[in-house]
Amino acid sequence: MDEKLLKPYDPKETEDKIYKLWEESGFFNPDVCVKKGITKPDAETFTLIMPPTNANGSLHAGHGLVMAIEDIMVRYKRMQGFKTLWLPGLDHAGFETQIVYEKQLEKEGRTRFEIESKKLYKEILDFTLKNSKNIKSQIKKMGASCDWSREKFTLDDNIVKTVYQTFKRMYDDNLIYRGNRIVSWCSKHQTSFSDLEIKDEERIDSLYYLKYGPFVIATSRPETKFGDKYVVMHPDDKRYKDYTHGQKIELEWINGPTTATIIKDNSIDMEFGTGVMTITPWHDATDFEIAERHKLDKEQIIDEFGKLLPIAGEFTGQHIKKARTLIIEKLQKKGLIEKIDENYKHVIRTCYKCGTTIEPQIKNQWFVKMKPLAEQALEKINNKKIEYIPEHYQKITVHWLENIIDWNISRQIVWGIPIPAKICNKCENGMVDIENIISKCEKCGGDVRTDSDTFDTWFSSGQWPFATLGYPDNNDFKTFYPTNVMETAGEIIFFWVSRMIMLGLYITGEIPFKTVYLHGLVLDAKGQKMSKSKGNVIDPLILTEKFGTDAFRIGMIIGNTPGTSLALSEDKIRGYKNFANKIWNATRFVLENTKNFTPPETPNYDEEDKKSDEELKLLIKEITKEMDEYKFYIVAEKLYHYFWHTFADVIIERSKVKILKNQNADSAKILLNTQLTTLLKLLHPFIPFVTEEIWSIIKKDTKEKNDLLMVAKWPA
RNA sequence: GCACGCUUAGCUCAGUUGGUAGAGCAUCGUCUUGACGUGACGAGGGUCGUAGGUUCAAUUCCUACAGCGUGCACCA
């Protein structure tokens, strides 16, 4: 017997060695499996695209969970004989990475606004490439059996090429347009966002009732009101029936006399405030819509840095944060304030990264027309062509898709895929120009400049399933698309999953994946969100170092249902370290007691052993079904339970007596052998390292061919 | 306000075709001869958020309410 077994199981001595063994076998690559006769050439495929990992830091607990779940799926399918592809990737993660890098710059006393954009791009690229190496070795540490020969990066030439083709095609199909629209602007990060990068925050502020000529208007943002020259009310409001649409009135306003125009619009809520409001179309989405409807003038009041423009008169150049109180003072003096409600509860929109209040601005940018894309997706989703796990995410998705708005894909940051377009200096017309050949405006003949914006990172990652497989001509695309499962965090159901469905459908005509499996957040032991500032971040690598990757993986899986968040505690992982050791020691017992024993072709069990044999067969049936239903949390628990409390506590204990007294000893030995080898196979997807190591020891002892457990056949 | 969840043992959570509740950890007791003390055997502990309804029967289905959580471009 191998003397390793005489000591407790040591993950540190084992894991790297085993991973190397797997990598060298080539079995992570489905083509190699076919070539070596492990998978049938015509076998059904199972494709899983790994969510591209952000290459801007270290692996966190959430990644650990992703790797555990996805590796379980993949190893299971591979053992079942599927032509299994798990394609790994890394994400440049545009804005996210830029933020991380900006923080680093801040520490060095630099800011991105002083660095020339090409140089900044190069710096962030170096930073990303350095991190990529780190991340990749950490993914390997988790035991991920993904096909590294097919690894992709979101900035790879062929990915960018696909993204450009999509952009062009959507533009030609009239699904992408450039237009002056209201966008969400962060004055700290100096970029616009889509609606998803915004976080709502509830606040109690003051609501000011201002005298506007004969009217009283309510506003929470007096600092935007300088240019207000339209006063809007509902056409059915009896209180204001004497005023007519288009009527002009002279009135005294913040910085002097002004002429206001009456506008009647149905969007006004008669119940709110006084039922009358003035509008600021440049800095408010609703006001913008009203202005569009009635073709009203729009004027910018606040600049990109949150400072007041000359229209504010004496307040010009003031930051809006400071200006508000000063403006109120002045209005007070002029007697234009009717009253102030200081307990006004409302929701303001903030940057999801820095919490800065979002300032809507009108910008000329690229937008994706979402309605037609959403309709296609809804049709498939409502017809259950895509299965959501957990199910209720389907409703959430449908709700979002039904209320979808156009998607701003322009970002004013350097770190990303440049938008291949030219902009006319004269008329601001935007032209898609992938070949970089346009030099004069197609509309007015004016000079053009290259668009300096980059794509929203989700525009490119939204194309990930077909882009990575080499749409349209690559053989991989033909073989492995549509993929089977998209496993990712529930958090990015809109950002990523829903957009992949829409873009995948649009480009390939097929859904990109059949099943969406969403896992929840990984929280600390107390159920709190992990954050660096709270200091409660649990590093998965420290846990694997302490307890072994197997313990970490199965500890993450057991008791963790899809969609629900998971409280991760060290105690739990520690418990599963004991489990790995239990298996280790049970193996020692089996090997010691079945030395020089050759089992017969057909087992001749006694009554109780036969029962045990049938019990395990029943278990296999059950868990195979549950594996197919993605209920890994149940399967892992059942296996844990069976191994410990049936195989070890009952079968091994029973065999001691039989072997010692030599009564039905053969029956006992056969049972020990078959149950152990079967259980190793069943456990392998969950705890791949210790099972593979034991497998190699057993095989050596029995002088059989040294096949890897990772490609053994799943028991039936 | 709308949408979507959650509320089961001290803690973390399972419990899908409705039949008087389960796991892990924790707690307590006993054992301690050889696979493993990273062990074995055993025990305690829940009116399954509240109130109704459907049913022979509800933790499971329906309704209302409460508390907690998450998401959201009518909110001036």
Side-chain angles (χ1 to χ4, degrees), chain A residues 203-403:
Chain A
R203 257 198 222 167
I204 294 176
D205 282 317
S206 294
L207 185 66
Y208 305 93
Y209 287 80
L210 308 180
K211 289 179 193 160
Y212 191 79
F215 306 106
V216 173
I217 57 157
T219 180
S220 61
R221 299 199 62 196
E223 69 277 9
T224 65
K225 298 275 134 198
F226 293 100
D228 287 12
K229 55 183 182 181
Y230 299 106
V231 56
V232 193
M233 58 209 70
H234 198 282
D236 298 339
D237 198 327
K238 292 194 185 98
R239 289 170 292 181
Y240 309 109
K241 63 179 178 350
D242 294 341
Y243 297 94
T244 54
H245 183 81
Q247 186 184 344
K248 309 256 186 218
I249 5 174
E250 300 299 322
L251 56 94
E252 180 61 24
W253 195 220
I254 310 172
N255 285 333
T258 191
T259 306
T261 307
I262 308 272
I263 300 295
K264 301 266 180 167
D265 193 280
N266 289 323
S267 67
I268 298 298
D269 178 358
M270 290 186 263
E271 308 292 315
F272 189 91
T274 56
V276 187
M277 69 173 193
T278 60
I279 56 165
T280 313
W282 203 283
H283 301 289
D284 184 282
T286 314
D287 295 1
F288 178 83
E289 295 301 329
I290 293 172
E292 286 282 282
R293 266 201 291 281
H294 301 283
K295 300 195 168 38
L296 310 178
D297 298 340
K298 309 181 192 88
E299 196 163 3
Q300 188 174 10
I301 315 294
I302 300 161
D303 75 3
E304 278 70 11
F305 298 93
K307 291 187 173 157
L308 288 163
L309 289 164
I311 190 169
E314 66 192 88
F315 301 101
T316 304
Q318 295 258 24
H319 196 277
I320 47 170
K321 260 191 187 166
K322 290 187 187 151
R324 185 180 296 178
T325 39
L326 300 174
I327 294 163
I328 290 302
E329 258 173 49
K330 180 165 186 196
L331 287 166
Q332 204 81 269
K333 270 186 210 151
K334 290 186 82 168
L336 291 177
I337 296 190
E338 168 94 6
K339 62 169 178 175
I340 300 173
D341 171 6
E342 284 175 352
N343 270 313
Y344 176 54
K345 203 166 130 188
H346 67 151
V347 170
I348 61 153
R349 306 167 70 232
T350 62
C351 168
Y352 81 117
K353 270 292 157 192
C354 68
T356 300
T357 306
I358 289 297
E359 187 60 68
Q361 294 275 5
I362 296 177
K363 294 253 165 213
N364 199 10
Q365 306 205 332
W366 296 101
F367 294 87
V368 177
K369 212 181 273 177
M370 297 306 284
K371 270 251 151 56
L373 296 173
E375 275 162 17
Q376 277 188 47
L378 277 167
E379 200 257 323
K380 297 285 181 192
I381 294 167
N382 286 329
N383 288 322
K384 310 264 176 198
K385 300 291 182 211
I386 297 174
E387 177 196 17
Y388 283 84
I389 300 171
E391 231 174 322
H392 75 263
Y393 272 98
Q394 195 227 23
K395 288 188 202 164
I396 295 175
T397 302
V398 165
H399 184 257
W400 184 69
L401 287 171
E402 283 176 344
N403 297 290

